[in-house]
Amino acid sequence: MPMNRRQFVGTLSAAGLGLAIAPSMLSAQPAAASKRKRYAIVGTGARYSMYQDAIEKDYKEHAEIVGFCDANPGRVELARARSAKNGAPVPPGYVAADFARMVAETKPDTVIVTTVDATHHLYLVRAMELGCDVITEKPMTTTADAVQQIIDTRRRTGRHVRVAMNYRYSPMRSQVKDILMSGAIGEVRSVDFHWMLNTHHGADYFRRWHAHKKFSGGLMLHKASHHFDLVNWWLGATPATVTATGKREFYTPEMAKRFGLTGPHERCHTCPEQQKCNFRLMLAQSPMNKALYLDQEHHDGYFRDRCVFRPDIDIEDTMNLVVGYDNGTTLSYSLNAFNAWEGYTIAFNGTLGRLEHNNVEQVYGNDPGVVQTEGISTRLIPLRGAARSITPLPSIGGHDGGDKPMLDDIFLPSMPADKYLRKSDERGGAASVLIGIAANRCFATGQPVKIADLVTGLTAPDFAPMPARHGPLPMPPRRRAVPRLTALHKSPT
């Protein structure tokens, strides 16, 4: 049977987080006190391991894990086994209903939340109420009501919220921020931003729990919150209005039939048309997927490999929106989840020129099934001037080199001042997800949405200074534009 989501998130209710009293079969006594900062991790799926390995390897002199918590006890045990493999003390494990007891027994300074998106706020709010600071994966949450709860709880408790926006830390994206801060193109008046997901990565969102908005908020939250945060941070501005359209036209039962299948089936693992479908995901062939998902299905019934064409999916695969900012800038954005290549193109149009930044992350090569990395380019075009290419800064490592500097910023006890102000708190987290929340409301109503109508008491994030939007500007040079074809084909004299 497919997973009944009551099993998946039923133990994650606010009542369960606060009132659980039954002893956990996984718990053990916490380690002796130390001077290292103490972290507990809730959510031991695919994303948590970045934090675990960082704490137990790279930052073990400054940090330690004191507890794991998850709705699936099998995955908790995998996390504990990973600690042993890392040569670290093995923390106690707790089931989701025992979250409050974990905090009481292990006394973490900070709780790291890497659960299903729609449950982030439950743990963030409860952890702050229990006296902990919190770090959360993006998106911070998925609904306006949940954003309001986080804002109100942080203000009431005085605890600290950190949203792990690793894209800001990518060297090439920090370089874009530096160019914009320098005033090389003046003040930005409009942005054109287009993100493409291919049919490997893009299709994967339609297999998992992400395919249902009640868990992920759709791609406008789970995926695009990264992108919206980048634009907010690049511009040093906050969103004010959103107009959007969205649809699902590729990952549908009709498309399954058009590709020659008899129809969508429940999952790849038992699909009778496995060999005919090039969208299949074979969990048993991946040691990680087998251990993390296939071998843990008996605990919660969650299928990681559901058919991407099934009819119960309710998220969009094609999205377009226009965002108006508080400083007058306009963003035109699109996200497509079935593209021929993966990556993005973005252009900033300023009063003194244009900045173009492209990242072709993956393309399909000549070898069947092989996806190749292509390249990054950045180009500055002064107003009435010749374009010049800018060599992108090397961006090696996870999330285009963003993971390591972000982890340094989180776990090292002291860091030099950051001129770009890349650290994001609940204000930055809210500013990014509220665009997606507004977009979802636009999809449902066909009407534009004002961000101020969604929450109250939200103040602007701290941003690095950007070029002034008033005062004199240098007059552009008096030059005549030459048609491109004329310039290429003009005969020598």
Side-chain angles (χ1 to χ4, degrees), residues 138-150:
K138 62 81 193 167
M140 186 174 77
T141 190
T142 59
T143 68
D145 287 345
V147 172
Q148 192 69 63
Q149 290 181 47
I150 294 168

Side-chain angles (χ1 to χ4, degrees), residues 90-132:
V90 177
Y94 297 80
V95 292
D98 290 342
F99 174 74
R101 189 163 71 84
M102 177 188 72
V103 173
E105 291 181 354
T106 65
K107 297 177 173 56
D109 300 303
T110 300
V111 173
I112 299 173
V113 179
T114 57
T115 60
V116 172
D117 297 346
T119 66
H120 285 180
H121 72 288
L122 298 177
Y123 293 105
L124 297 175
V125 167
R126 193 69 184 109
M128 285 190 282
E129 291 174 340
L130 293 171
C132 300

Side-chain angles (χ1 to χ4, degrees), residues 35-86:
K35 295 181 180 179
R36 294 178 294 173
K37 194 165 185 180
R38 300 167 65 82
Y39 293 88
I41 299 178
V42 55
T44 55
R47 187 64 181 149
Y48 88 99
S49 60
M50 179 186 76
Y51 299 97
Q52 179 180 12
D53 290 349
I55 293 171
E56 293 179 338
K57 293 179 179 180
D58 296 341
Y59 309 98
K60 61 184 178 182
E61 294 181 1
H62 311 293
E64 62 179 322
I65 298 174
V66 298
F68 292 115
C69 181
D70 194 273
N72 186 304
R75 283 198 286 272
V76 172
E77 285 304 302
L78 286 178
R80 299 181 73 226
R82 192 181 186 101
S83 290
K85 185 177 179 181
N86 286 343

Side-chain angles (χ1 to χ4, degrees), residues 114-361:
T114 57
T115 60
V116 172
D117 297 346
T119 66
H120 285 180
H121 72 288
L122 298 177
Y123 293 105
L124 297 175
V125 167
R126 193 69 184 109
M128 285 190 282
E129 291 174 340
L130 293 171
C132 300
D133 293 333
V134 290
I135 298 170
T136 181
E137 271 292 299
K138 62 81 193 167
M140 186 174 77
T141 190
T142 59
T143 68
D145 287 345
V147 172
Q148 192 69 63
Q149 290 181 47
I150 294 168
I151 294 170
D152 294 344
T153 305
R154 197 224 61 80
R155 183 178 294 113
R156 184 177 72 251
T157 63
R159 305 313 307 182
H160 297 290
V161 179
R162 177 76 177 257
V163 184
M165 294 297 190
N166 45 12
Y167 274 20
R168 295 186 180 191
Y169 290 83
S170 168
M172 65 180 178
R173 296 182 185 119
S174 294
Q175 183 182 34
V176 169
K177 175 69 171 176
D178 191 77
I179 296 169
L180 296 174
M181 288 173 61
S182 75
I185 64 167
E187 64 264 23
V188 178
R189 294 296 184 177
S190 68
V191 182
D192 299 302
F193 193 6
H194 307 287
W195 202 290
M196 284 66 67
L197 296 170
N198 63 24
T199 52
H200 276 79
H201 186 196
D204 209 35
Y205 293 109
F206 295 81
R207 299 187 183 101
R208 311 179 301 204
W209 53 262
H210 306 74
H212 294 280
K213 282 194 176 180
K214 64 181 178 179
F215 301 120
S216 69
L219 292 177
M220 284 285 93
L221 274 299
H222 181 80
K223 184 63 180 174
S225 61
H226 253 330
H227 313 155
F228 300 145
D229 177 73
L230 273 177
V231 176
N232 298 347
W233 171 69
W234 272 327
L235 296 178
T238 56
T241 61
V242 175
T243 303
T245 61
K247 58 185 178 179
R248 177 169 61 94
E249 292 189 333
F250 187 84
Y251 298 103
T252 66
E254 179 187 10
M255 287 298 293
K257 292 180 171 61
R258 292 182 65 186
F259 282 129
L261 304 174
T262 60
H265 301 279
E266 176 52 39
R267 62 180 304 192
C268 300
H269 187 61
T270 57
C271 179
E273 296 184 283
Q274 281 180 5
Q275 298 308 310
K276 291 177 62 179
C277 181
N278 289 336
F279 289 85
R280 65 184 181 273
L281 174 69
M282 307 311 295
L283 294 176
Q285 295 178 7
S286 164
M288 184 194 78
N289 283 338
K290 182 178 183 298
L292 200 58
Y293 300 110
L294 192 61
D295 293 348
Q296 310 308 325
E297 289 178 359
H298 65 283
H299 291 295
D300 58 17
Y302 173 55
F303 292 169
R304 169 64 176 79
D305 61 341
R306 298 190 72 194
C307 180
V308 301
F309 301 113
R310 66 190 190 278
D312 61 291
I313 294 170
D314 66 359
I315 66 171
E316 296 80 14
D317 56 27
T318 308
M319 294 136 279
N320 299 79
L321 69 158
V322 175
V323 181
Y325 280 85
D326 61 348
N327 65 358
T329 304
T330 302
L331 164 68
S332 175
Y333 171 86
S334 71
L335 175 61
N336 181 286
F338 55 94
N339 217 274
W341 61 279
E342 177 140 337
Y344 62 87
T345 67
I346 188 166
F348 302 87
N349 302 303
T351 52
L352 298 178
R354 175 180 170 96
L355 180 66
E356 299 174 348
H357 174 61
N358 302 320
N359 185 5
V360 182
E361 295 178 343

